[in-house]
């Protein structure tokens, strides 16, 4: 099962996704990247049904980039999140709904960091921490217990490692890929 | 704000999709993908197969068995599951035999048209993306194709991309598709190294297909092997896996005799 997790700090958002692309019992890829860079300050993590994820995420990605080309400035994370949700909602009651679960992480220069949780029924919630997949059942309690709004980067990394250890031990082993969004820079770990 | 309204007919291949709809509506026994009436299948469609592809230092190897099964019947023991698209790209097919043949032809046509229109060859990644977008309108219908594009790009070297009708598009170094794929993975994952020589890679691919056909009822008969390098693809003569089986039996009995002598 695919796993996404996000933790928001005071001036950063830390997101992680597992690395496996599976097709029923076979792991077809061990280094599959579920992260889509919408802009220099916005990241979209997308899991769900096989083709829907890439199609939907690339569509959102190209439209966010188009906005910047047309208007000269980038969409804010809140606007991007609402745009994504609107598209999911529009397709939900069509003949071709997109079965995708998303985490959108962004940094707004005026509002600060933001983590947005979206699911395939196009619900949207801005949350301090969030997770998708079976791993969410295991790790939300860990996050409830140890999360504080004033986490430093290192403390958030430790919390993330606790969550990943739990998911790795309690389920079929997964390899993890970390992306770290802080201020203006996007670090890959 | 006017943003791109995603309309499934808004791709450059929309004329071709309309063509398919026209063709299907003329033929009596099919139904359009988006209509609710279902047509009962006259016989089980062919699905079982073992195909594999991997990249190593000497290029790309593509291998596949040659059995087309329809339920429990071997509909044809000598099918071509690996089809060249152009001089530097072959595609291995799995899933429904009819769908694969059709989509391979469509892909070949679109690639050739691109080459004629733009005076350059489309990259393997671009080919995979084009195929994935062409298959997208048929997601949720009975179309079942799982293709592996094995090729060599002039700019970026060897490429192996898996495209399936579910919409998945994965680039990687080793893929095996079909009902026999778990067995093939078992042999490939153990023996595959980047530094294999060409002959070692070919024998590894042959061994993987052989082991898969040995265990999987829906794969068998012969093995096709293609080798793709910067100079293009080359095909080996089709080999009967029955011979491989007898060679394997011979080797095992020799080992057993050797073991008994030692004991």
């Amino acid at each position: 099962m695919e796993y996404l997790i996000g933790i928001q700090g005071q001036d950063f958002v830390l997101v992680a996704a597992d690395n496996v692309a599976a097709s029923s019992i076979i792991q077809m890829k061990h280094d599959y990247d579920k992260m889509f860079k919408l802009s220099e300050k916005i990241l979209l993590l997308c899991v769900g049904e096989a083709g829907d994820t890439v199609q939907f995420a690339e569509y959102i990605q190209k439209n966010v980039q188009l906005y910047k080309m047309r208007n000269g400035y980038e969409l804010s994370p809140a606007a991007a999140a609402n745009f994504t949700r609107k598209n999911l909602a529009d397709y939900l009651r069509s003949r071709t709904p997109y079965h995708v679960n998303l985490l959108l992480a962004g940094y707004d220069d005026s509002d600060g960091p933001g983590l947005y949780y979206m699911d395939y029924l196009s619900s949207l919630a801005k949350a301090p921490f969030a997770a998708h997949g079976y791993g969410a059942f295991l790790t939300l309690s860990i996050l409830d217990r140890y999360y504080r709004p004033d986490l430093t980067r290192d403390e958030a990394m430790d919390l993330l490692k606790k969550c990943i250890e739990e998911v790795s031990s309690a389920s079929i082993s997964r390899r993890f890929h970390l992306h770290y969004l802080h201020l203006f820079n996007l670090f890959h770990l | 704000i006017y943003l791109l309204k995603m309309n499934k007919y808004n791709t450059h291949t929309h004329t071709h999709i309309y063509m398919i709809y026209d063709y299907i509506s003329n033929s009596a026994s099919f139904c359009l993908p988006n209509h609710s009436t279902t047509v009962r299948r006259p016989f089980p469609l062919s699905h079982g197969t073992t195909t594999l592809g991997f990249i190593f230092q000497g290029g790309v190897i593509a291998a596949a068995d040659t059995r087309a099964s329809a339920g429990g019947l071997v509909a044809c023991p000598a099918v071509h599951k690996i089809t060249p698209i152009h001089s530097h790209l072959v595609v291995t097919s799995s899933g429904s035999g009819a769908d694969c043949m059709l989509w391979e032809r469509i892909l070949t046509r679109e690639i050739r048209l691109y080459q004629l229109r733009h005076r350059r060859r489309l990259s393997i990644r671009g080919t995979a993306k084009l195929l994935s977008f062409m298959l997208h309108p048929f997601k949720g219908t009975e179309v079942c194709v799982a293709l592996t594009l094995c090729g060599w790009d002039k700019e970026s070297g060897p490429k192996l991309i898996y495209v399936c009708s579910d919409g998945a598009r994965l680039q990687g170094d080793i893929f095996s598709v079909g009902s026999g794929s778990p067995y093939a993975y078992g042999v490939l994952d153990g023996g595959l190294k980047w530094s294999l020589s060409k002959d070692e890679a070919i024998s590894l691919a042959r061994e993987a297909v052989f082991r898969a056909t040995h265990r999987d009822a829906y794969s068998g008969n012969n093995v096709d092997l293609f080798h793709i390098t910067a100079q293009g693809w080359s095909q080996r003569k089709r080999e009967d896996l029955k011979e491989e089986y007898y060679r394997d039996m011979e080797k095992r009995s020799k080992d057993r005799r050797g073991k008994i002598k030692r004991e």
Side-chain angles (χ1 to χ4, degrees):
Chain A
M1 186 58 211
E2 299 170 309
Y3 179 63
L4 297 179
I5 180 173
I7 302 174
Q8 180 197 324
Q10 283 215 295
D11 58 356
F12 65 89
V13 186
L14 184 60
V15 288
D18 71 303
N19 254 0
V20 175
S23 170
S24 76
I25 58 166
I26 300 283
Q27 289 185 0
M28 300 216 71
K29 254 176 96 73
H30 302 296
D31 54 355
Y32 184 64
D33 194 354
K34 299 184 181 157
M35 180 271 278
F36 295 85
K37 191 170 135 183
L38 300 190
S39 75
E40 288 304 319
K41 294 183 199 163
I42 313 181
L43 235 59
L44 180 70
L45 285 87
C46 193
V47 291
E49 200 176 318
D52 289 353
T53 49
V54 173
Q55 290 274 357
F56 185 75
E58 279 190 351
Y59 171 67
I60 300 294
Q61 187 180 41
K62 301 317 171 198
N63 271 297
V64 171
Q65 286 165 0
L66 180 65
Y67 183 93
K68 181 178 179 191
M69 282 182 222
R70 283 200 170 124
N71 300 290
Y73 57 88
E74 289 181 341
L75 268 174
S76 67
N82 278 289
F83 171 69
T84 310
R85 190 213 68 82
K86 181 78 168 66
N87 270 283
L88 263 178
D90 286 340
Y91 278 99
L92 183 63
R93 289 196 169 85
S94 72
R95 268 187 310 236
T96 56
Y98 285 95
H99 198 293
V100 290
N101 294 314
L102 309 161
L103 281 183
L104 194 143
Y107 189 87
D108 194 3
D109 290 327
S110 42
D111 297 333
L115 176 68
Y116 295 86
Y117 169 98
M118 258 173 283
D119 76 359
Y120 69 100
L121 297 169
S122 77
S123 61
L124 170 68
K126 185 173 188 302
F129 56 85
H132 275 299
Y134 286 134
F137 289 101
L138 304 163
T139 50
L140 279 173
S141 48
I142 302 177
L143 290 163
D144 281 329
R145 167 77 180 85
Y146 292 108
Y147 177 80
R148 287 181 343 265
D150 57 351
L151 283 174
T152 65
R153 270 181 261 176
D154 294 324
E155 287 167 350
M157 276 299 291
D158 289 335
L159 180 53
L160 184 69
K161 283 192 184 131
K162 256 203 257 296
C163 293
I164 289 177
E165 266 170 37
E166 176 57 34
V167 176
S168 304
S169 65
S171 67
I172 304 161
S173 76
R174 303 236 162 270
R175 304 183 198 186
F176 279 85
H177 201 172
L178 300 179
H179 297 275
Y180 179 54
L181 176 67
H182 166 65
L183 289 172
F184 314 111
N185 301 314
L186 188 58
F187 302 116
H188 293 234
L189 291 163
Chain B
I1 301 167
Y2 175 77
L3 291 167
L4 280 172
K5 191 103 183 95
M6 180 142 84
N7 181 347
K8 66 172 79 159
Y9 303 116
N10 208 8
T11 62
H12 75 278
T13 56
H14 75 282
T15 45
H16 123 81
I17 291 169
Y18 280 131
M19 277 162 61
I20 289 191
Y21 282 178
D22 283 347
Y23 178 77
I24 288 174
S25 64
N26 287 335
S27 110
S29 59
F30 281 101
C31 65
L32 290 168
N34 286 330
H35 287 198
S36 50
T37 51
T38 45
V39 176
R40 202 168 46 84
R41 290 207 193 130
F43 50 79
L45 299 181
S46 49
H47 258 85
T49 191
T50 305
T51 70
L52 59 92
F54 59 84
I55 301 181
F56 70 113
Q57 57 79 17
V60 192
I61 298 281
D65 73 309
T66 60
R67 174 175 292 181
S69 53
L73 167 73
V74 175
C76 177
V79 171
H80 292 275
K81 294 189 192 179
I82 312 185
T83 319
I85 301 281
H86 57 66
S87 63
H88 286 73
L89 175 62
V90 305
V91 56
T92 72
S93 58
S94 130
S96 158
D99 286 333
C100 285
M101 280 184 206
L102 173 68
W103 283 101
E104 278 163 13
R105 284 196 67 157
I106 291 172
L107 184 65
T108 312
R109 181 192 67 197
E110 293 298 326
I111 295 306
R112 182 71 181 130
L113 281 173
Y114 185 95
Q115 189 176 359
L116 291 168
R117 284 174 182 143
H118 298 91
R119 277 190 275 182
R120 70 174 185 89
R121 195 172 255 171
L122 191 56
S123 65
I124 312 284
R125 283 190 64 186
T127 310
K129 201 155 193 178
L130 178 65
L131 180 61
S132 185
F133 275 50
M134 287 198 290
L135 284 171
H136 185 65
F138 298 95
K139 186 175 159 83
T141 67
E142 304 259 15
V143 172
C144 178
V145 292
L147 308 174
T148 313
L149 303 175
C150 317
W152 191 290
D153 266 336
K154 225 201 304 268
E155 305 88 29
S156 38
K159 277 272 187 309
L160 190 63
I161 308 185
Y162 168 72
V163 180
C164 89
S165 48
D166 293 336
R169 185 172 24 100
L170 302 170
Q171 186 177 327
D173 292 331
I174 169 173
F175 282 113
S176 175
V177 188
S179 54
S181 66
Y183 310 108
Y185 269 124
V187 173
L188 277 175
D189 285 334
L192 186 62
K193 288 189 295 289
W194 179 262
S195 55
L196 287 173
S197 73
K198 175 186 165 188
D199 291 324
E200 286 170 348
I202 286 177
S203 68
L204 178 67
R206 189 191 300 120
E207 178 81 12
V209 175
F210 167 63
R211 296 285 162 204
T213 57
H214 182 55
R215 284 288 176 184
D216 181 32
Y218 300 106
S219 309
N221 296 105
N222 308 307
V223 59
D224 277 331
L225 279 157
F226 276 68
H227 181 214
I228 303 108
T229 59
Q231 282 70 46
W233 60 261
S234 64
Q235 182 180 7
R236 285 180 66 86
K237 190 161 170 294
R238 175 172 278 192
E239 291 163 33
D240 194 339
L241 286 168
K242 196 171 51 185
E243 309 298 326
E244 182 70 26
Y245 175 73
Y246 290 139
R247 275 199 293 268
D248 190 54
M249 282 288 108
E250 188 60 43
K251 194 161 69 71
R252 278 172 195 279
S253 62
K254 214 180 294 178
D255 288 343
R256 213 175 303 128
R257 267 182 264 133
K259 209 160 112 188
I260 293 171
K261 259 201 213 127
R262 272 182 260 122
E263 280 168 7

